[in-house]
Amino acid sequence: MSETSENRRTEYVSLRDEIYRSDRTCVMLMGFLLTITSALATASFSTKLHKEASDFALWLLSIIWFFGFWYFTEKRFVIIRIAAYIREHIEIYEEGLGWELFSKSLSEQGNYRRALPLDPYHLEIMVCTLVILFTPIMGVFFRGWGYLGWHFLSLCAVGVIYIILGIRVLVEYDNPQQYELNKGTNA
């Protein structure tokens, strides 16, 4: 095996490990977000806290999930960029390495996700959307927030920013198995 080939294989292993770590980070982040959601929801409906503290706990949910969305997005895009790099710069030169090429081929044939149409990132985005967009509604109906109060208006602003970023991200993410580095967008 040549030194170049050995270096490519070492890089391949390192990059596959980075994909694993990024995915694991997303799983751990989801666990953290669900735990903090439970804690803040409990605090927001607690009768032992002052109304201001309870309202703030509920308000904080959307803010935390907005930043969670941002982090999910960064990690998922790291994964698709690394996968594209592996496919375009390593697997085409090395025999015996071909998972990303195989994955792209399955995706092009429409056979990548037969049972479930959504991948983990789409599911993460769905949960983020539920929390970010329904928290202000919960505040109005369960906490008595006014439509012109700072809680409701600030979360509506966060919701609008989230929707704009979410649409942009979903257009770019589209089909991650077919993402190409040299185009900078999806194939």
Side-chain angles (χ1 to χ4, degrees):
M1 181 182 301
S2 73
E3 185 177 335
T4 302
S5 180
E6 190 174 318
N7 289 342
R8 266 194 219 110
R9 287 178 176 274
T10 301
E11 182 180 32
Y12 177 85
V13 169
S14 175
L15 291 171
R16 296 298 306 168
D17 190 49
E18 180 62 28
I19 288 173
Y20 169 78
R21 285 193 313 269
S22 292
D23 185 59
R24 186 159 172 85
T25 297
C26 290
V27 170
M28 290 170 47
L29 177 60
M30 182 59 80
F32 166 78
L33 289 171
L34 292 173
T35 301
I36 198 76
T37 298
S38 175
L40 288 173
T42 300
S44 70
F45 291 103
S46 172
T47 56
K48 296 179 181 181
L49 293 176
H50 291 286
K51 182 174 179 0
E52 296 83 18
S54 295
D55 287 345
F56 184 74
L58 184 61
W59 177 83
L60 202 52
L61 272 177
S62 282
I63 305 303
I64 289 171
W65 277 87
F66 179 77
F67 285 109
F69 154 75
W70 212 316
Y71 203 72
F72 283 131
T73 300
E74 177 59 27
K75 287 300 180 185
R76 294 299 175 187
F77 274 85
V78 163
I79 290 170
I80 66 171
R81 281 191 305 268
I82 290 173
Y85 178 84
I86 288 171
R87 184 176 55 247
E88 295 172 19
H89 297 282
I90 296 176
E91 289 182 350
I92 60 173
Y93 299 111
E94 292 297 319
E95 220 173 281
L97 302 178
W99 172 252
E100 296 302 337
L101 289 167
F102 176 71
S103 177
K104 182 178 181 181
S105 173
L106 282 177
S107 178
E108 290 169 346
Q109 297 167 16
N111 291 328
Y112 192 78
R113 293 199 184 294
R114 287 182 176 190
L116 298 173
L118 303 174
D119 66 5
Y121 181 62
H122 291 109
L123 297 172
E124 292 159 355
I125 295 303
M126 287 172 49
V127 176
C128 288
T129 301
L130 285 173
V131 175
I132 292 169
L133 299 182
F134 286 111
T135 299
I137 295 167
M138 288 177 53
V140 167
F141 289 108
F142 296 112
R143 299 296 307 152
W145 294 355
Y147 291 111
L148 298 177
W150 75 270
H151 296 99
F152 183 78
L153 289 177
S154 62
L155 291 185
C156 285
V158 167
V160 168
I161 294 167
Y162 171 77
I163 289 169
I164 291 167
L165 292 174
I167 290 169
R168 180 173 180 242
V169 160
L170 290 174
V171 166
E172 283 295 315
Y173 191 76
D174 187 35
N175 193 339
Q177 290 76 30
Q178 295 180 32
Y179 182 85
E180 294 181 10
L181 290 176
N182 55 359
K183 292 184 180 181
T185 59
N186 292 332

